[in-house]
């Protein structure tokens, strides 16, 4: 029965299953009314319910298989785009401006404004990576939200860009941003990424050090990273990466208008594949935030 329903699903899809279920229930009711027997009515309804439950199980299994296949295809897209990035670099980073606002429970709202210069006529996509500093369980993935939107010349928001998201491992994702049309060589393109990630900075809020760093596979002219801590907190700060050999790295601390301490570091002419940033740890001992 299950094999038959799987074949039926493959050929007709979920809407056909819903119509068949309604038909079976209606047939059971009509049969019981015509024959007038309570036992026959009950038997017909039980049979119809069993068929519907079996169809539901087959449907869930089919959807699970399709979801796994889709994730595998997304992973392949990310892998091939990485190979293209390494083989034929097609852009330079003119300006990278990233802000991470950390909530009381370690939730993070990240916004990245990116300006790129095309160096190849087939500049169709940008590959981005985001991650948190711990192997976050996979059930958080469905709660991560990301929107990518073009920025016009005057800085106003434009239309959204299609993205392909895949997960490299627990707590680390790759996003391929696809342009509507490839920018002309030597022209610039700007877009903004809005990312909401539950419990992204949980280790920091639980008293452990957490790292906030940048690493690029393409030349970078200027990059800024702001980390806004939860209200009423302060942090110990230390640089990470080979900053002693990189003299274009600056870190400063300030307080914003809402009373949040902000740790800001700026980079200019960052070498390719050079990871640089800061390691933070909150001052004072905080009780671990409960995991939902």
């Amino acid at each position: 029965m299950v094999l038959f329903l799987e074949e039926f699903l493959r050929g007709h899809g979920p809407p056909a299953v819903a119509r068949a279920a309604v038909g079976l229930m209606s047939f059971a009711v009509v049969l019981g009314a015509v024959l007038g027997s309570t036992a026959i009515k009950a038997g017909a309804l039980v049979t119809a319910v069993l068929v519907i439950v079996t169809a539901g199980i087959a449907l869930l299994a089919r959807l699970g298989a399709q979801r796994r296949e889709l994730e595998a295809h997304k992973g392949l897209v990310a892998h091939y785009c990485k190979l293209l990035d390494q083989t034929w670099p097609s852009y330079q980073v003119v300006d990278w401006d990233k802000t991470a606002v950390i909530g009381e429970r370690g939730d993070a709202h990240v916004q990245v404004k990116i300006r790129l210069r095309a160096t190849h006529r087939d500049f169709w996509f940008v590959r981005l990576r985001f991650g948190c500093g711990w192997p976050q369980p996979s059930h958080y993935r469905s709660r991560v939200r990301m929107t990518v939107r073009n920025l016009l010349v005057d800085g106003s928001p434009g239309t959204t860009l299609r993205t392909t998201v895949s997960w490299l491992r627990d707590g680390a994702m790759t996003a391929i941003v696809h342009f509507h049309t490839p920018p002309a060589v030597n022209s610039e393109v700007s877009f903004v990424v809005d990312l909401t990630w539950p419990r992204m900075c949980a280790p920091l809020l639980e008293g452990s050090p957490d790292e906030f760093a940048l690493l690029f596979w393409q030349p970078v002219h200027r990059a800024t990273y702001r980390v806004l801590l939860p209200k009423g907190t302060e942090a110990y700060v230390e640089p990470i990466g080979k900053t002693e050999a990189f003299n274009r790295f600056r870190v400063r601390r300030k307080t914003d208008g809402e009373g949040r301490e902000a740790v800001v570091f700026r980079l200019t002419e960052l070498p390719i594949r050079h990871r640089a940033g800061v390691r933070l740890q909150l001052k004072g001992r905080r009780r671990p935030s409960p995991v939902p």
Side-chain angles (χ1 to χ4, degrees), residues 227-243:
V227 182
L228 275 69
L229 301 174
K231 292 182 180 180
T233 63
E234 294 181 313
Y236 299 101
V237 183
E238 66 182 33
I240 58 175
K242 298 179 180 179
T243 54

Side-chain angles (χ1 to χ4, degrees), residues 65-81:
Q66 290 178 340
R67 189 178 299 112
R68 289 189 294 272
E69 184 178 6
L70 177 60
E71 291 302 319
H73 289 168
K74 288 181 177 180
L76 289 174
V77 170
H79 177 67
Y80 296 146
C81 289

Side-chain angles (χ1 to χ4, degrees), residues 102-104 228-234 256 258-261 286:
I102 304 173
E104 293 291 335
L228 275 69
L229 301 174
K231 292 182 180 180
T233 63
E234 294 181 313
D256 71 357
E258 298 181 0
R260 291 176 177 265
E261 183 180 43
R286 296 174 57 91

Side-chain angles (χ1 to χ4, degrees), residues 239-249 251 267 274-277:
I240 58 175
K242 298 179 180 179
T243 54
E244 67 279 0
F246 179 59
N247 58 11
R248 291 177 292 276
F249 178 85
V251 180
L267 310 164
H274 182 109
R275 186 172 184 266

Side-chain angles (χ1 to χ4, degrees), residues 24-183:
L24 283 171
M25 293 294 289
S26 301
F27 176 75
V29 172
V30 172
L31 183 62
V34 171
L35 298 178
S37 169
T38 303
I40 293 176
K41 290 180 182 179
L45 285 173
V46 168
T47 301
V49 170
L50 287 175
V51 172
I52 293 170
V53 170
T54 306
I57 294 172
L59 177 59
L60 289 175
R62 179 65 178 168
L63 291 177
Q66 290 178 340
R67 189 178 299 112
R68 289 189 294 272
E69 184 178 6
L70 177 60
E71 291 302 319
H73 289 168
K74 288 181 177 180
L76 289 174
V77 170
H79 177 67
Y80 296 146
C81 289
K82 178 181 178 180
L83 294 178
L84 288 172
D85 261 353
Q86 295 173 350
T87 307
W88 295 293
S90 54
Y91 66 91
Q92 296 175 343
V93 180
V94 178
D95 189 45
W96 181 283
D97 192 300
K98 182 175 182 177
T99 302
V101 181
I102 304 173
E104 293 291 335
R105 299 175 61 255
D107 299 338
H109 176 234
V110 179
Q111 185 179 82
V112 191
K113 294 181 179 180
I114 303 170
R115 184 155 57 99
L116 309 175
R117 178 179 294 111
T119 58
H120 194 279
R121 61 185 178 85
D122 291 325
F123 179 30
W124 284 97
F125 67 88
V126 175
R127 186 173 60 93
L128 308 175
R129 287 186 59 177
F130 299 95
C132 54
W134 63 293
Q136 191 179 59
S138 58
H139 67 264
Y140 282 92
R141 298 178 183 181
S142 61
R143 297 163 56 188
V144 175
R145 298 286 181 268
M146 184 176 68
T147 302
V148 183
R149 188 176 297 277
N150 269 324
L151 289 177
L152 305 182
V153 176
D154 61 358
S156 59
T159 58
T160 56
L161 297 173
R162 188 182 297 275
T163 58
T164 302
V165 174
S166 62
W167 291 86
L168 303 171
R169 59 183 183 276
D170 288 346
M173 62 177 279
T174 296
I176 310 298
V177 179
H178 307 272
F179 297 119
H180 300 306
T181 56

